[in-house]
Amino acid sequence: MCVCILNGKLVKDREMLHRILADLPGFPDWYGKNLDALHDCLTDIQEDVWIRVENKNDLTLHLGNYAAAFLKVLAASAEENSKIHYVVEPD
């Protein structure tokens, strides 16, 4: 099992978000670092992965609407792949 913590206070831009996510198990070297590629990679994961989003308000502050789009992709991916688990911690 893998645990990935995304702290909105520390994730300052899209590139940093995708750089952190690219380290998840099963992500290919050619990961496209965009939301479509993220969905594709998350739905292909074969082992349990927990993604914990902390400080959502700060994530939104840094990423704007992209933060909401990211969370939608995360939810859709978890719905499609039972190996993906996530929680968004309240601020």
Side-chain angles (χ1 to χ4, degrees), residues 36-91:
D36 288 333
L38 176 62
H39 178 73
D40 291 344
C41 290
L42 287 174
T43 55
D44 285 345
I45 285 181
Q46 299 297 312
E47 66 179 88
D48 284 312
V49 171
W50 280 91
I51 299 173
R52 188 166 126 189
V53 179
E54 299 176 343
N55 302 302
K56 178 185 166 215
N57 288 343
D58 288 303
L59 187 68
T60 300
L61 179 67
H62 295 140
L63 302 182
N65 292 334
Y66 198 81
F70 160 68
L71 293 174
K72 285 182 183 179
V73 167
L74 190 55
S77 300
E79 187 173 314
E80 192 171 324
N81 183 350
S82 64
K83 299 289 187 179
I84 303 299
H85 315 277
Y86 76 99
V87 64
V88 179
E89 296 290 333
D91 286 336

